[in-house]
Amino acid sequence: AADKKGMESRNYDATEHKMSLAELKAKFETGIDEQKPKESKGLSEQEAKNRLLRDGPNAMTPPKQTPEIVKFLMQFTNMFMILL
């Protein structure tokens, strides 16, 4: 299931920035105050814990890094480098 979730995040098309507060409230099931959003309290501690258990932490996985020796050896695949 973790691999599938990772693949979904790569193909995710973010459109939340285009939504109204009412649409965001419905989509994310939050307690946002549409009239006074700055005064909204956010999720309760229990709801935040439940979502953390359900969805996992809100963190990006770091990209895979190429080892330095491989980078060095890749330089020798260039034809001009071989001529030098």
Side-chain angles (χ1 to χ4, degrees):
D3 292 335
K4 186 176 181 184
K5 186 181 281 188
M7 290 301 293
E8 289 172 2
S9 65
R10 289 184 191 160
N11 299 325
Y12 182 72
D13 186 27
T15 57
E16 287 81 6
H17 63 285
K18 298 178 183 178
M19 293 181 176
S20 68
L21 290 177
E23 292 170 320
L24 288 170
K25 181 179 180 178
K27 180 175 181 174
F28 294 110
E29 301 170 0
T30 63
I32 192 169
D33 183 353
E34 297 170 41
Q35 304 304 319
K36 300 178 185 176
K38 290 184 178 182
E39 296 178 16
S40 297
K41 302 214 187 278
L43 299 175
S44 68
E45 188 173 333
Q46 185 59 43
E47 181 63 21
K49 286 180 182 179
N50 290 342
R51 290 185 185 201
L52 180 61
L53 289 173
R54 181 186 74 198
D55 302 327
N58 185 15
M60 296 176 66
T61 55
K64 293 181 180 178
Q65 294 186 352
T66 306
E68 294 298 321
I69 187 70
V70 173
K71 291 179 186 178
F72 176 73
L73 294 173
M74 290 297 292
Q75 300 299 315
F76 295 101
T77 62
N78 184 331
M79 195 59 142
F80 290 111
M81 179 64 180
I82 295 171
L83 289 173
L84 292 176

Coordinates of all heavy atoms in Angstrom, one line a residue:
A1 N 0.8 -1.2 0.0 CA 0.0 0.0 0.0 C 0.9 1.3 0.0 O 0.5 2.3 -0.6 CB -0.9 0.0 1.2
A2 N 2.1 1.2 0.6 CA 2.9 2.4 0.7 C 3.4 2.7 -0.7 O 3.5 3.9 -1.0 CB 4.1 2.1 1.6
D3 N 3.7 1.7 -1.5 CA 4.2 2.0 -2.9 C 3.1 2.7 -3.7 O 3.4 3.6 -4.4 CB 4.7 0.7 -3.6 CG 5.9 0.1 -3.0 OD1 6.7 0.9 -2.3 OD2 6.1 -1.1 -3.1
K4 N 1.9 2.2 -3.5 CA 0.8 2.8 -4.3 C 0.6 4.3 -3.8 O 0.4 5.1 -4.7 CB -0.5 2.0 -4.0 CG -1.6 2.5 -4.9 CD -2.8 1.6 -4.7 CE -4.0 2.0 -5.5 NZ -5.2 1.2 -5.3
K5 N 0.7 4.5 -2.5 CA 0.5 5.9 -2.0 C 1.6 6.8 -2.6 O 1.4 7.9 -3.0 CB 0.5 5.9 -0.5 CG 0.2 7.3 0.1 CD 0.3 7.3 1.6 CE -1.0 6.7 2.2 NZ -1.1 6.8 3.6
G6 N 2.8 6.3 -2.7 CA 3.9 7.0 -3.2 C 3.7 7.4 -4.7 O 4.0 8.5 -5.1
M7 N 3.2 6.4 -5.4 CA 2.9 6.7 -6.9 C 1.8 7.7 -7.0 O 1.9 8.5 -7.9 CB 2.5 5.4 -7.6 CG 3.7 4.4 -7.7 SD 5.1 5.1 -8.6 CE 4.4 5.2 -10.2
E8 N 0.8 7.7 -6.2 CA -0.3 8.7 -6.3 C 0.3 10.1 -6.1 O -0.1 11.0 -6.7 CB -1.3 8.4 -5.2 CG -2.2 7.1 -5.5 CD -3.1 6.8 -4.4 OE1 -3.1 7.5 -3.4 OE2 -3.8 5.8 -4.5
S9 N 1.2 10.2 -5.1 CA 1.7 11.6 -4.9 C 2.5 12.1 -6.1 O 2.5 13.3 -6.3 CB 2.6 11.6 -3.6 OG 3.7 10.8 -3.8
R10 N 3.1 11.3 -6.8 CA 3.9 11.7 -8.0 C 2.9 12.3 -9.1 O 3.3 13.2 -9.8 CB 4.7 10.6 -8.6 CG 5.9 10.3 -7.8 CD 6.7 9.2 -8.5 NE 7.7 8.7 -7.5 CZ 8.3 7.5 -7.7 NH1 8.0 6.8 -8.7 NH2 9.1 7.1 -6.8
N11 N 1.7 11.7 -9.2 CA 0.8 12.1 -10.2 C -0.3 13.0 -9.7 O -1.2 13.3 -10.4 CB 0.1 10.8 -10.7 CG 1.1 9.8 -11.3 OD1 2.1 10.3 -11.9 ND2 0.9 8.6 -11.2
Y12 N -0.1 13.6 -8.5 CA -1.1 14.4 -7.9 C -1.1 15.8 -8.6 O -0.1 16.4 -8.8 CB -0.7 14.6 -6.4 CG -1.7 15.4 -5.7 CD1 -3.0 15.0 -5.4 CD2 -1.4 16.7 -5.2 CE1 -3.9 15.7 -4.7 CE2 -2.4 17.5 -4.6 CZ -3.6 17.0 -4.3 OH -4.5 17.8 -3.6
D13 N -2.3 16.2 -8.9 CA -2.5 17.5 -9.5 C -3.1 18.5 -8.5 O -4.3 18.4 -8.2 CB -3.4 17.4 -10.8 CG -3.5 18.7 -11.6 OD1 -2.6 19.5 -11.5 OD2 -4.6 18.9 -12.2
A14 N -2.4 19.4 -7.9 CA -2.9 20.3 -6.9 C -3.8 21.3 -7.5 O -3.4 22.1 -8.3 CB -1.7 20.9 -6.2
T15 N -5.0 21.3 -7.0 CA -6.0 22.4 -7.4 C -6.6 23.1 -6.2 O -7.5 23.9 -6.4 CB -7.1 21.8 -8.3 OG1 -7.7 20.7 -7.5 CG2 -6.5 21.2 -9.6
E16 N -6.2 22.7 -5.0 CA -6.8 23.3 -3.8 C -6.7 24.8 -3.7 O -7.5 25.5 -3.2 CB -6.1 22.7 -2.6 CG -6.5 21.3 -2.3 CD -5.8 20.2 -3.1 OE1 -4.8 20.6 -3.8 OE2 -6.1 19.1 -3.1
H17 N -5.6 25.4 -4.3 CA -5.5 26.8 -4.3 C -6.5 27.6 -5.1 O -6.7 28.8 -5.0 CB -4.1 27.2 -4.8 CG -3.8 26.8 -6.3 ND1 -3.6 25.5 -6.7 CD2 -3.8 27.6 -7.4 CE1 -3.5 25.5 -8.0 NE2 -3.6 26.7 -8.4
K18 N -7.3 26.8 -5.9 CA -8.4 27.4 -6.7 C -9.7 27.3 -6.0 O -10.7 27.9 -6.5 CB -8.4 26.7 -8.1 CG -7.2 26.9 -8.9 CD -7.3 26.2 -10.2 CE -6.1 26.2 -11.1 NZ -6.2 25.5 -12.3
M19 N -9.8 26.5 -4.9 CA -11.1 26.3 -4.3 C -11.5 27.4 -3.3 O -10.6 28.1 -2.8 CB -11.0 25.0 -3.5 CG -10.8 23.7 -4.3 SD -10.7 22.3 -3.2 CE -10.7 21.0 -4.4
S20 N -12.8 27.5 -3.1 CA -13.3 28.4 -2.1 C -13.1 27.8 -0.7 O -12.8 26.6 -0.6 CB -14.8 28.7 -2.3 OG -15.5 27.5 -2.0
L21 N -13.3 28.6 0.3 CA -13.1 28.0 1.7 C -14.2 27.0 2.0 O -13.9 26.0 2.7 CB -13.3 29.2 2.7 CG -12.1 30.1 2.8 CD1 -12.4 31.3 3.8 CD2 -10.8 29.4 3.1
A22 N -15.4 27.1 1.5 CA -16.4 26.1 1.7 C -16.0 24.8 1.0 O -16.2 23.7 1.6 CB -17.7 26.6 1.1
E23 N -15.5 24.9 -0.2 CA -15.0 23.6 -0.9 C -13.9 23.0 -0.1 O -13.9 21.7 0.0 CB -14.6 23.9 -2.3 CG -15.7 24.4 -3.2 CD -15.2 24.9 -4.5 OE1 -14.2 25.6 -4.6 OE2 -15.9 24.6 -5.6
L24 N -12.9 23.7 0.4 CA -11.8 23.2 1.2 C -12.3 22.5 2.5 O -11.9 21.5 2.8 CB -10.8 24.3 1.5 CG -10.0 24.8 0.3 CD1 -9.2 26.0 0.8 CD2 -9.0 23.7 -0.1
K25 N -13.3 23.2 3.1 CA -13.9 22.7 4.3 C -14.5 21.3 4.1 O -14.3 20.4 4.9 CB -14.9 23.7 4.9 CG -15.5 23.3 6.2 CD -16.5 24.3 6.6 CE -17.2 23.9 7.9 NZ -18.1 24.9 8.4
A26 N -15.2 21.2 3.0 CA -15.9 19.9 2.7 C -14.9 18.9 2.3 O -15.0 17.7 2.7 CB -16.9 20.1 1.6
K27 N -13.9 19.2 1.5 CA -13.0 18.2 1.0 C -12.1 17.7 2.1 O -11.9 16.5 2.1 CB -12.1 18.9 -0.1 CG -11.0 17.9 -0.7 CD -10.2 18.4 -1.8 CE -9.3 17.4 -2.3 NZ -8.5 17.8 -3.5
F28 N -11.6 18.5 3.0 CA -10.7 18.1 4.0 C -11.3 17.9 5.3 O -10.6 17.6 6.3 CB -9.5 19.1 4.1 CG -8.6 19.1 2.9 CD1 -8.7 20.2 2.0 CD2 -7.9 18.0 2.5 CE1 -7.9 20.2 0.9 CE2 -7.1 18.0 1.4 CZ -7.1 19.2 0.6
E29 N -12.6 18.1 5.4 CA -13.4 17.8 6.6 C -12.7 18.6 7.8 O -12.4 18.0 8.9 CB -13.5 16.3 6.9 CG -14.1 15.6 5.8 CD -14.0 14.1 6.0 OE1 -13.4 13.6 7.0 OE2 -14.5 13.3 5.2
T30 N -12.6 19.9 7.6 CA -12.0 20.7 8.7 C -13.0 21.6 9.3 O -14.1 21.7 8.8 CB -10.9 21.6 8.1 OG1 -11.4 22.5 7.2 CG2 -9.8 20.8 7.5
G31 N -12.7 22.3 10.4 CA -13.6 23.2 11.0 C -13.3 24.6 10.8 O -13.3 25.4 11.6
I32 N -12.9 24.9 9.5 CA -12.6 26.3 9.2 C -13.8 27.2 9.2 O -14.9 26.8 8.8 CB -11.9 26.4 7.8 CG1 -11.2 27.7 7.6 CG2 -12.9 26.0 6.7 CD1 -10.3 27.7 6.3
D33 N -13.6 28.4 9.8 CA -14.7 29.4 9.8 C -14.6 30.2 8.5 O -13.7 30.9 8.3 CB -14.5 30.3 11.1 CG -15.6 31.3 11.2 OD1 -16.5 31.4 10.3 OD2 -15.6 32.0 12.3
E34 N -15.6 30.0 7.7 CA -15.6 30.7 6.4 C -15.7 32.2 6.5 O -15.2 32.9 5.6 CB -16.8 30.1 5.5 CG -16.6 28.7 5.3 CD -17.9 28.1 4.6 OE1 -18.5 28.8 3.7 OE2 -18.3 27.0 5.0
Q35 N -16.3 32.7 7.5 CA -16.5 34.2 7.7 C -15.2 34.8 8.3 O -14.8 35.9 8.0 CB -17.7 34.5 8.6 CG -19.0 33.9 8.1 CD -19.3 34.3 6.7 OE1 -19.2 35.5 6.4 NE2 -19.8 33.4 5.9
K36 N -14.6 34.1 9.2 CA -13.4 34.6 9.9 C -12.3 33.5 9.9 O -12.0 32.9 10.9 CB -13.7 35.0 11.3 CG -14.7 36.0 11.5 CD -15.0 36.3 12.9 CE -16.1 37.3 13.0 NZ -16.5 37.5 14.4
P37 N -11.7 33.2 8.7 CA -10.7 32.1 8.6 C -9.5 32.2 9.5 O -9.0 31.3 10.0 CB -10.3 32.1 7.1 CG -10.8 33.4 6.6 CD -11.9 33.9 7.4
K38 N -9.1 33.5 9.8 CA -7.9 33.7 10.7 C -8.2 33.2 12.1 O -7.3 33.0 12.9 CB -7.5 35.1 10.6 CG -6.9 35.5 9.3 CD -6.3 36.9 9.3 CE -5.7 37.2 8.0 NZ -5.1 38.6 8.0
E39 N -9.5 33.2 12.5 CA -9.8 32.8 13.8 C -10.2 31.3 14.0 O -10.5 30.8 15.0 CB -11.0 33.6 14.3 CG -10.7 35.1 14.4 CD -11.9 36.0 14.9 OE1 -12.9 35.4 15.3 OE2 -11.8 37.2 14.7
S40 N -10.0 30.6 12.9 CA -10.3 29.1 12.9 C -9.3 28.4 13.8 O -8.1 28.8 13.9 CB -10.2 28.6 11.5 OG -11.2 29.1 10.7
K41 N -9.8 27.4 14.5 CA -8.9 26.7 15.4 C -8.2 25.5 14.8 O -7.3 24.9 15.4 CB -9.8 26.2 16.6 CG -10.5 27.3 17.3 CD -10.6 27.1 18.7 CE -11.4 28.1 19.4 NZ -10.7 29.3 19.7
G42 N -8.6 25.1 13.6 CA -7.9 23.9 12.9 C -8.5 22.6 13.4 O -9.6 22.6 14.0
L43 N -7.7 21.6 13.3 CA -8.1 20.2 13.7 C -7.9 20.1 15.2 O -7.0 20.7 15.8 CB -7.3 19.2 13.0 CG -7.3 19.1 11.5 CD1 -6.4 18.1 11.0 CD2 -8.7 18.8 11.0
S44 N -8.8 19.3 15.8 CA -8.6 18.9 17.2 C -7.4 18.0 17.3 O -6.9 17.4 16.3 CB -9.8 18.2 17.7 OG -10.0 16.9 17.1
E45 N -6.8 17.9 18.5 CA -5.7 17.1 18.7 C -6.0 15.6 18.3 O -5.2 15.0 17.7 CB -5.2 17.2 20.1 CG -3.8 16.5 20.3 CD -3.3 16.8 21.7 OE1 -3.6 17.8 22.3 OE2 -2.5 15.9 22.2
Q46 N -7.2 15.2 18.7 CA -7.6 13.8 18.4 C -7.7 13.6 16.9 O -7.2 12.6 16.4 CB -8.9 13.5 19.1 CG -9.3 12.0 19.0 CD -8.2 11.0 19.5 OE1 -7.7 11.2 20.6 NE2 -8.0 10.0 18.8
E47 N -8.3 14.5 16.2 CA -8.4 14.4 14.8 C -7.1 14.4 14.1 O -6.8 13.7 13.1 CB -9.3 15.5 14.2 CG -9.6 15.4 12.7 CD -10.3 14.1 12.2 OE1 -11.0 13.5 13.1 OE2 -10.2 13.8 11.1
A48 N -6.2 15.2 14.5 CA -4.8 15.3 14.0 C -4.1 13.9 14.2 O -3.5 13.4 13.3 CB -4.0 16.4 14.6
K49 N -4.3 13.3 15.4 CA -3.7 12.0 15.6 C -4.3 11.0 14.7 O -3.6 10.1 14.2 CB -3.9 11.6 17.1 CG -3.0 12.4 18.0 CD -3.2 11.9 19.5 CE -2.4 12.8 20.4 NZ -2.6 12.4 21.8
N50 N -5.6 11.0 14.5 CA -6.3 10.0 13.7 C -5.8 10.1 12.2 O -5.5 9.1 11.6 CB -7.8 10.2 13.7 CG -8.4 9.8 15.0 OD1 -7.8 9.1 15.8 ND2 -9.6 10.3 15.3
R51 N -5.6 11.4 11.8 CA -5.2 11.6 10.4 C -3.7 11.2 10.2 O -3.3 10.7 9.2 CB -5.4 13.0 9.9 CG -6.9 13.3 9.8 CD -7.1 14.7 9.2 NE -8.5 15.0 9.2 CZ -9.0 15.9 8.4 NH1 -8.2 16.7 7.7 NH2 -10.3 16.2 8.4
L52 N -2.9 11.4 11.2 CA -1.5 10.9 11.2 C -1.4 9.4 11.1 O -0.7 8.9 10.3 CB -0.8 11.5 12.4 CG 0.7 11.1 12.5 CD1 1.5 11.7 11.3 CD2 1.3 11.6 13.8
L53 N -2.3 8.7 11.9 CA -2.3 7.3 11.8 C -2.8 6.8 10.4 O -2.3 5.8 9.9 CB -3.1 6.7 12.9 CG -2.5 6.8 14.3 CD1 -3.6 6.4 15.4 CD2 -1.3 6.0 14.4
R54 N -3.8 7.5 9.9 CA -4.5 7.1 8.7 C -3.6 7.4 7.5 O -3.4 6.5 6.6 CB -5.8 7.8 8.5 CG -6.6 7.4 7.3 CD -7.8 8.2 7.1 NE -7.5 9.6 6.7 CZ -8.3 10.6 6.8 NH1 -9.5 10.5 7.3 NH2 -7.8 11.8 6.4
D55 N -3.0 8.6 7.4 CA -2.3 9.1 6.2 C -0.8 9.0 6.3 O -0.1 9.2 5.3 CB -2.8 10.5 5.9 CG -4.3 10.6 5.6 OD1 -4.9 9.6 5.1 OD2 -4.9 11.6 6.0
G56 N -0.3 8.9 7.5 CA 1.1 9.0 7.7 C 1.6 10.4 7.9 O 0.8 11.4 7.7
P57 N 2.9 10.6 8.1 CA 3.4 12.0 8.3 C 3.4 12.8 7.0 O 3.5 12.2 5.9 CB 4.8 11.8 8.8 CG 5.2 10.4 8.3 CD 3.9 9.6 8.3
N58 N 3.3 14.1 7.1 CA 3.3 15.0 5.9 C 4.8 15.3 5.6 O 5.3 16.3 6.0 CB 2.5 16.2 6.3 CG 2.4 17.1 5.1 OD1 2.6 16.7 3.9 ND2 2.0 18.4 5.3
A59 N 5.4 14.3 4.9 CA 6.8 14.5 4.6 C 7.1 14.0 3.2 O 6.5 13.0 2.8 CB 7.6 13.7 5.6
M60 N 8.0 14.6 2.6 CA 8.4 14.2 1.2 C 9.6 13.2 1.4 O 10.5 13.4 2.2 CB 8.8 15.4 0.4 CG 7.7 16.3 0.1 SD 8.2 17.8 -0.8 CE 8.6 17.1 -2.4
T61 N 9.7 12.2 0.5 CA 10.8 11.4 0.5 C 12.0 12.0 -0.3 O 11.7 12.6 -1.3 CB 10.5 10.0 -0.1 OG1 10.0 10.2 -1.4 CG2 9.5 9.3 0.7
P62 N 13.2 11.9 0.2 CA 14.3 12.6 -0.5 C 14.6 11.8 -1.8 O 14.3 10.6 -1.9 CB 15.5 12.4 0.5 CG 15.1 11.3 1.4 CD 13.6 11.3 1.5
P63 N 15.0 12.5 -2.8 CA 15.4 11.8 -4.1 C 16.6 10.9 -3.9 O 17.4 11.1 -3.1 CB 15.7 13.0 -5.0 CG 16.1 14.1 -4.1 CD 15.4 13.9 -2.8
K64 N 16.6 9.9 -4.8 CA 17.7 9.0 -4.7 C 19.0 9.7 -5.2 O 18.9 10.5 -6.2 CB 17.5 7.8 -5.6 CG 16.4 6.9 -5.1 CD 16.2 5.7 -6.0 CE 15.0 4.8 -5.5 NZ 14.8 3.7 -6.3
Q65 N 20.1 9.5 -4.5 CA 21.3 10.1 -4.9 C 22.3 9.1 -5.6 O 22.3 8.0 -5.2 CB 22.0 10.7 -3.7 CG 21.2 11.8 -3.0 CD 22.0 12.4 -1.9 OE1 23.0 12.0 -1.5 NE2 21.5 13.5 -1.4
T66 N 22.9 9.7 -6.6 CA 23.9 8.9 -7.3 C 25.2 8.9 -6.6 O 25.7 10.0 -6.2 CB 24.1 9.4 -8.7 OG1 22.9 9.6 -9.4 CG2 25.0 8.6 -9.6
P67 N 25.8 7.7 -6.3 CA 27.1 7.7 -5.6 C 28.2 8.5 -6.4 O 28.2 8.5 -7.6 CB 27.5 6.2 -5.5 CG 26.2 5.5 -5.7 CD 25.3 6.4 -6.6
E68 N 29.1 9.1 -5.7 CA 30.2 9.9 -6.3 C 31.0 9.1 -7.3 O 31.4 9.6 -8.3 CB 31.1 10.5 -5.2 CG 30.4 11.5 -4.3 CD 29.8 12.7 -5.1 OE1 30.6 13.2 -6.0 OE2 28.7 13.1 -4.8
I69 N 31.3 7.8 -7.0 CA 32.1 7.0 -7.9 C 31.4 6.8 -9.2 O 32.0 6.8 -10.3 CB 32.5 5.7 -7.2 CG1 33.5 4.9 -8.1 CG2 31.3 4.8 -6.9 CD1 34.9 5.5 -8.2
V70 N 30.1 6.6 -9.2 CA 29.3 6.5 -10.4 C 29.4 7.7 -11.2 O 29.5 7.7 -12.4 CB 27.9 6.0 -10.1 CG1 27.0 6.0 -11.3 CG2 27.9 4.7 -9.4
K71 N 29.2 8.9 -10.5 CA 29.3 10.2 -11.3 C 30.7 10.3 -11.9 O 30.8 10.7 -13.1 CB 29.1 11.3 -10.3 CG 27.7 11.5 -9.8 CD 27.7 12.6 -8.8 CE 26.3 12.7 -8.1 NZ 26.3 13.8 -7.1
F72 N 31.7 9.9 -11.2 CA 33.1 10.0 -11.8 C 33.2 9.1 -13.0 O 33.7 9.5 -14.0 CB 34.1 9.6 -10.7 CG 35.5 9.5 -11.2 CD1 36.2 10.7 -11.5 CD2 36.1 8.3 -11.4 CE1 37.5 10.6 -11.9 CE2 37.4 8.2 -11.8 CZ 38.1 9.4 -12.1
L73 N 32.8 7.9 -12.9 CA 32.9 6.9 -14.0 C 32.0 7.3 -15.2 O 32.4 7.0 -16.3 CB 32.5 5.5 -13.5 CG 33.5 4.9 -12.5 CD1 33.0 3.6 -11.9 CD2 34.9 4.8 -13.1
M74 N 30.9 8.0 -14.9 CA 30.1 8.4 -16.0 C 30.8 9.4 -16.9 O 30.4 9.6 -18.1 CB 28.7 9.0 -15.5 CG 27.8 8.0 -14.9 SD 27.2 6.7 -16.0 CE 26.2 7.7 -17.1
Q75 N 31.7 10.1 -16.4 CA 32.5 11.1 -17.2 C 33.2 10.4 -18.3 O 33.5 11.0 -19.4 CB 33.5 11.8 -16.3 CG 32.9 12.6 -15.2 CD 31.9 13.7 -15.7 OE1 32.2 14.4 -16.6 NE2 30.7 13.7 -15.1
F76 N 33.6 9.1 -18.2 CA 34.3 8.4 -19.2 C 33.4 7.8 -20.3 O 33.9 7.1 -21.2 CB 35.2 7.3 -18.5 CG 36.2 7.9 -17.6 CD1 36.0 7.9 -16.2 CD2 37.4 8.4 -18.1 CE1 37.0 8.4 -15.4 CE2 38.3 9.0 -17.3 CZ 38.2 9.0 -15.9
T77 N 32.2 8.1 -20.2 CA 31.3 7.6 -21.3 C 31.2 8.7 -22.4 O 30.6 8.4 -23.4 CB 29.9 7.3 -20.8 OG1 29.3 8.4 -20.2 CG2 29.9 6.2 -19.7
N78 N 31.7 9.9 -22.1 CA 31.7 10.9 -23.1 C 32.8 10.7 -24.1 O 34.0 10.6 -23.7 CB 31.8 12.3 -22.4 CG 31.7 13.5 -23.3 OD1 32.0 13.4 -24.5 ND2 31.2 14.6 -22.7
M79 N 32.5 10.8 -25.4 CA 33.5 10.5 -26.4 C 34.7 11.5 -26.4 O 35.9 11.1 -26.5 CB 32.9 10.5 -27.8 CG 33.8 9.9 -28.8 SD 34.1 8.2 -28.3 CE 34.1 7.4 -29.9
F80 N 34.4 12.8 -26.1 CA 35.5 13.8 -26.1 C 36.4 13.5 -24.9 O 37.6 13.8 -25.0 CB 34.9 15.2 -26.0 CG 34.2 15.6 -27.3 CD1 32.9 15.7 -27.4 CD2 35.0 15.8 -28.4 CE1 32.3 16.1 -28.6 CE2 34.5 16.1 -29.6 CZ 33.1 16.3 -29.7
M81 N 35.9 13.0 -23.8 CA 36.7 12.7 -22.6 C 37.6 11.6 -22.9 O 38.8 11.6 -22.5 CB 35.8 12.4 -21.4 CG 36.5 12.0 -20.2 SD 37.4 13.5 -19.6 CE 38.1 12.8 -18.2
I82 N 37.2 10.6 -23.7 CA 38.1 9.5 -24.0 C 39.2 10.0 -25.0 O 40.3 9.5 -24.8 CB 37.2 8.4 -24.7 CG1 36.2 7.8 -23.7 CG2 38.1 7.3 -25.2 CD1 35.2 6.9 -24.3
L83 N 38.9 10.9 -25.9 CA 39.9 11.4 -26.8 C 41.0 12.2 -26.0 O 42.2 12.2 -26.4 CB 39.3 12.3 -27.8 CG 38.5 11.6 -28.9 CD1 37.8 12.7 -29.7 CD2 39.3 10.7 -29.7
L84 N 40.6 12.8 -24.9 CA 41.6 13.6 -24.2 C 42.5 12.6 -23.4 O 43.6 12.8 -23.1 CB 40.9 14.6 -23.2 CG 40.2 15.7 -23.9 CD1 39.5 16.5 -22.8 CD2 41.2 16.6 -24.6

